[in-house]
Amino acid sequence: MSQLPLSKKLAYAAGGLSMNLPNLVISQWLYKYWVGDGYAPLLAFSFFFLAGRITDAITDPLVAWWSDQSKSPRGRRIPFILWGVIPYALVIAFLWTPPVQGEGWVNLVYVCVMIQLFFILYTIVVSPYLALLPELTADVRERVNISTLQALFVTVGTMLFGVAGILIHHFGYFGNGVIVAVLTVIFLLPTILFIKERPGQGPAPVESASVFKWVGMTFDNKPFRYLIAATSLYWFALNLMLMLVPQWVQTVLGLTEDKVSLVMGPFILVNVIGFVALNVLSKRFGKYPIMLATLLGSAIAMALLFFVGDLPFGDRMTQTIFVVALLGVPASGFLMLPFAILSDCVDYDEKLTGQRREGIYFGVQAIFQKSFIGGSILFFGLMDDAFGKSDVADAETGLKFVALAAGAAALLGFFSFLGYPIRERGTGLDLPPTK
């Protein structure tokens, strides 16, 4: 099977930064800005963010179904990215501009609307972008290579996210938002300009081919059920950790927000090393055992943060850096494997239905993942309300319990994935029986 040119792989993979950077910045800093700086009450903001994730989850299958059905001469996915990217970037920038100082109903309405718009536009741009991956190649090893390159750009986004505290310190939250918005557009341009899709033909007609019918059909796919359970639980865990880090740096370590990069830097470095190692290991042993190692290793590393202060080496800063860097190894596996695994699930769907329905699978997966991310926001807000308003010792206890909850969720993800049935054999897939 012929390989894609490296230029095409890079043109697609570059969009990984645009997918990751805005989501990370908003997941970690939006709460800190709107609640911490006194523009919105904690529970109201947490509810709006959860509502945004639910909106996102509702729009995901609609956009996915729409793109699967598309008959555009530019292809099924590219037009969504092309027309959605500028509005998406504008919302990223203006999320950080409350109309009035302090709390007030105007700010509440503004942040509620802007959060909903962010997640709707994120879906319009990112879901079709992700659905391109299975269409680029049917070669199993090539998919891992592409998803690894994509994960490297995701890591570049994480590196930029790691210095967001410094950018905020120098340019303010709005200045940081503008930088993120511009980078989002720049790194999606190669996909728009250089990935040429075949004209959209739409799928073969099926009985009652409504979006609800298509969503229901995805649950006939046994491998997909195992995958969405594991990845949804992992996203709950990972988002808790992303929200935890800046609070931890300021509350437990007593440092300012620009010092968050000191903790994130080693994590990112280990992440890059992990991509290389896990890419090789997944091609040798298959994606299934490496995904299990990713889930279990993350559970251990996340829970280990609970014991910072009691570990037998260094001070709290050293122990924090060690634990967060340790998480970078399995986290690299999660950044590179799930999209390649989902592409295998799409192949299995073709075996079940005789159709290629990439979009609806990425959309349905997003329903669960984003709902769990929204749940993590609400959980974090409740823990912060219970522990964060008292003294430093109680706030530290609350953050440690958040880390423990994250580890427990990742562990549940590990057990959820144990029954995943697809295995690689050589360069192909050993797909399970359809019945």
Side-chain angles (χ1 to χ4, degrees), residues 9-24 88 122 125-126 129-130 146-158 160 183-184 186-191 235 335 339:
K9 295 177 188 176
L10 290 171
Y12 173 76
L17 183 143
S18 304
M19 171 183 68
N20 186 48
L21 178 59
N23 193 47
L24 287 176
Y88 175 49
Y122 183 90
V125 172
V126 173
Y129 165 75
L130 290 175
I146 294 169
S147 62
T148 300
L149 286 172
Q150 184 185 56
L152 286 172
F153 279 97
V154 166
T155 301
V156 173
T158 306
L160 295 170
L183 290 171
T184 297
I186 289 172
F187 279 83
L188 274 171
L189 280 178
T191 300
W235 271 116
L335 292 175
F339 295 142

Side-chain angles (χ1 to χ4, degrees), residues 165-238:
I166 297 172
L167 295 176
I168 289 167
H169 185 74
H170 288 285
F171 302 109
Y173 283 94
F174 177 65
N176 182 66
V178 170
I179 293 169
V180 172
V182 170
L183 290 171
T184 297
V185 174
I186 289 172
F187 279 83
L188 274 171
L189 280 178
T191 300
I192 295 170
L193 296 175
F194 302 118
I195 298 297
K196 304 300 182 185
E197 284 189 278
R198 293 186 301 273
Q201 301 297 320
V206 295
E207 181 184 358
S208 304
S210 68
V211 62
F212 303 105
K213 174 79 170 180
W214 277 39
V215 168
M217 288 169 66
T218 64
F219 294 101
D220 294 331
N221 189 325
K222 180 180 178 182
F224 180 64
R225 295 197 299 267
Y226 283 104
L227 179 64
I228 58 172
T231 56
S232 299
L233 286 162
Y234 192 93
W235 271 116
F236 180 91
L238 185 60

Side-chain angles (χ1 to χ4, degrees), residues 322-361:
F322 170 79
V323 172
V324 175
L326 185 65
L327 177 60
V329 178
S332 64
F334 187 74
L335 292 175
M336 62 176 279
L337 288 176
F339 295 142
I341 294 173
L342 183 53
S343 297
D344 297 343
C345 294
V346 170
D347 290 342
Y348 183 64
D349 177 70
E350 186 176 23
K351 181 179 176 182
L352 287 172
T353 67
Q355 300 174 76
R356 296 294 298 182
R357 304 185 307 140
E358 294 91 346
I360 200 67
Y361 273 91

Side-chain angles (χ1 to χ4, degrees), residues 44-109:
F45 178 86
S46 299
F47 175 77
F48 292 155
F49 213 97
L50 176 60
R53 289 296 186 182
I54 293 172
T55 299
D56 193 13
I58 293 170
T59 56
D60 263 307
L62 295 174
V63 171
W65 179 80
W66 186 9
S67 71
D68 277 340
Q69 299 279 339
S70 173
K71 297 183 180 181
S72 167
R74 285 219 59 186
R76 294 191 293 169
R77 322 297 178 186
I78 296 296
F80 287 87
I81 306 170
L82 174 63
W83 295 109
V85 65
I86 297 301
Y88 175 49
L90 289 173
V91 169
I92 290 168
F94 285 97
L95 266 168
W96 314 93
T97 56
V100 299
Q101 291 295 316
E103 293 184 9
W105 69 268
V106 176
N107 280 347
L108 289 178
V109 171

Side-chain angles (χ1 to χ4, degrees), residues 211-266:
V211 62
F212 303 105
K213 174 79 170 180
W214 277 39
V215 168
M217 288 169 66
T218 64
F219 294 101
D220 294 331
N221 189 325
K222 180 180 178 182
F224 180 64
R225 295 197 299 267
Y226 283 104
L227 179 64
I228 58 172
T231 56
S232 299
L233 286 162
Y234 192 93
W235 271 116
F236 180 91
L238 185 60
N239 204 62
L240 282 180
M241 296 299 292
L242 291 174
M243 296 184 68
L244 181 152
V245 169
Q247 296 279 76
W248 184 277
V249 168
Q250 293 179 272
T251 301
V252 178
L253 303 182
L255 302 174
T256 54
E257 60 193 14
D258 58 314
K259 299 300 189 294
V260 172
S261 58
L262 297 177
V263 174
M264 294 301 298

Side-chain angles (χ1 to χ4, degrees), residues 22-46:
N23 193 47
L24 287 176
V25 169
I26 284 163
S27 293
Q28 188 171 85
W29 289 106
L30 199 66
Y31 177 93
K32 173 72 174 56
Y33 176 64
W34 280 88
V35 176
D37 288 6
Y39 293 108
L42 182 153
L43 290 180
F45 178 86
S46 299

